[in-house]
Amino acid sequence: MAVENNNVKQSLSVAGGHSSIIMSIFSTSSGNGKTITAINLAASLAKEGYDVCLMDLDLQFGDVVDYLKLSPKYTIAEAQKDFETDPEEFDVRNYLTEYTHDDLHFSVMAPPKSIDDAYQIDVTVVEKMIQQLVDFDFIILDLQAVFSALNLAMLDISAIINYVGIIDFLPSVKNFKVGYDTLIRFEYEANKIRLIENRSNSQKLIKGDDVERLIGEKFSHKLPNDFQSVNKSVNSGVPLMFAAPNSPLTKSFAELAESYSQHQDNAPPPEEVVVQPDKSIFSKVMGMLGW
């Protein structure tokens, strides 16, 4: 399903007309396949020939580099320190780690190595880093499973919010619905949010159709269950397209990437994103409190 509504589109743009489509991968609980989705969406878009940057913004427990068996020289923590030292000379591309396998390649921004550094990351600096990534076709943000100030700022500048969930028992349904309702209360347009059901064909008592009726929205994409292929992918440190090229899950990620790449190819020239995170986040929280 291609993204059809241009109103959901936000991107970074430069005078030459190039634009970067920003997409968030978000969930409200751990273990829903958020990082697997981020990695394989990045790999699938890169396979189509796009320049892709995957930013691991799960600052405390991000494991993109572990999944891909990368040994980054720099993380976002070092990048922020150097930005604060000399913002005029700072170039975020010097702090990216390249992932390559065969003829596939994409860039990765690694999360901090320590919890202490994670707490020091500044929202405004992260936004300035992203604004320097205009050379990439797609910027994919793997977010932490929480409504933090950083996440809200990243959701604000995202063209698409891929909201991932596993609907296998009642508490997970409640969690998924509460998360979706919160996104709507934060005034993110429903057509900007893409509901992604992970392990959609696994054995469970709750059907996806029932969840759709409860939420009032249909899933934009359903990822089939294939634990064996995912386990093989993680253990080998390569995306699913290499670990299990014939897996239905691999093909499903390719279809998801194709739906977004069609949007990239057909999109009109974008408007530049102007971000005011402090004001935006404050107004959202105050609105929720009724103030």
Side-chain angles (χ1 to χ4, degrees):
M1 183 177 116
V3 180
E4 298 175 349
N5 193 317
N6 293 329
N7 292 330
V8 306
K9 182 174 179 297
Q10 286 185 279
S11 62
L12 304 174
S13 62
V14 293
H18 188 88
S19 63
S20 299
I21 305 301
I22 305 171
M23 293 195 293
S24 294
I25 314 297
F26 182 61
S27 179
T28 49
S29 61
S30 59
N32 279 332
K34 177 174 57 64
T35 297
I36 288 293
T37 299
I39 290 172
N40 285 282
L41 180 57
S44 296
L45 288 167
K47 186 178 181 181
E48 292 191 22
Y50 294 102
D51 291 326
V52 180
C53 181
L54 171 56
M55 297 188 70
D56 191 343
L57 296 181
D58 189 344
L59 300 178
Q60 296 181 28
F61 304 108
D63 47 15
V64 167
V65 296
D66 295 327
Y67 279 18
L68 296 175
K69 300 190 184 308
L70 295 173
S71 299
K73 182 177 180 180
Y74 301 109
T75 73
I76 195 171
E78 287 79 40
Q80 175 171 294
K81 290 176 183 177
D82 288 351
F83 173 86
E84 292 173 340
T85 300
D86 191 355
E88 296 300 323
E89 295 297 323
F90 177 81
D91 187 342
V92 69
R93 291 168 294 186
N94 295 329
Y95 300 85
L96 300 177
T97 300
E98 295 303 310
Y99 176 80
T100 59
H101 187 86
D102 293 346
D103 59 348
L104 180 85
H105 65 90
F106 57 88
S107 300
V108 175
M109 173 61 82
K113 293 180 180 179
S114 73
I115 297 273
D116 291 341
D117 285 339
Y119 283 114
Q120 303 305 315
I121 299 302
D122 183 85
V123 175
T124 302
V125 175
V126 175
E127 289 177 335
K128 292 185 182 298
M129 291 182 192
I130 292 175
Q131 289 171 353
Q132 288 192 0
L133 296 175
V134 292
D135 291 338
F136 289 92
D137 298 307
F138 288 92
I139 303 170
I140 298 177
L141 312 176
D142 184 11
L143 302 180
Q144 187 179 7
V146 66
F147 284 102
S148 64
L150 175 62
N151 277 4
L152 289 173
M154 296 301 100
L155 295 173
D156 280 349
I157 66 173
S158 294
I160 299 162
I161 300 169
N162 291 282
Y163 181 45
V164 183
I166 297 175
I167 312 302
D168 51 1
F169 64 115
L170 285 176
S172 66
V173 174
K174 178 183 177 182
N175 186 292
F176 192 75
K177 182 176 181 349
V178 169
Y180 179 76
D181 289 345
T182 302
L183 288 171
I184 297 301
R185 291 179 65 187
F186 276 154
E187 299 181 356
Y188 296 114
E189 302 90 341
N191 59 6
K192 175 176 175 173
I193 304 167
R194 297 290 178 265
L195 303 182
I196 310 294
E197 183 184 7
N198 193 15
R199 302 180 191 172
S200 61
N201 61 341
S202 59
Q203 293 184 350
K204 53 190 177 181
L205 297 176
I206 301 171
K207 297 181 180 179
D209 293 346
D210 294 331
V211 177
E212 289 176 337
R213 282 192 290 270
L214 176 66
I215 295 176
E217 294 290 338
K218 289 190 172 295
F219 286 104
S220 299
H221 195 80
K222 296 187 177 185
L223 298 168
N225 183 41
D226 192 346
F227 179 79
Q228 183 175 1
S229 294
V230 170
N231 192 48
K232 184 178 179 181
S233 171
V234 172
N235 288 337
S236 59
V238 297
L240 278 160
M241 64 178 63
F242 300 111
N246 297 319
S247 165
L249 182 58
T250 302
K251 296 176 182 178
S252 187
F253 277 121
E255 292 169 358
L256 180 62
E258 184 180 2
S259 72
Y260 293 147
S261 64
Q262 289 174 359
H263 177 60
Q264 166 79 349
D265 293 338
N266 299 327
E271 296 180 358
E272 184 178 359
V273 174
V274 179
V275 185
Q276 296 177 311
D278 292 339
K279 180 179 178 181
S280 175
I281 293 169
F282 181 79
S283 62
K284 289 178 190 295
V285 175
M286 292 303 99
M288 283 196 68
L289 294 175
W291 295 352

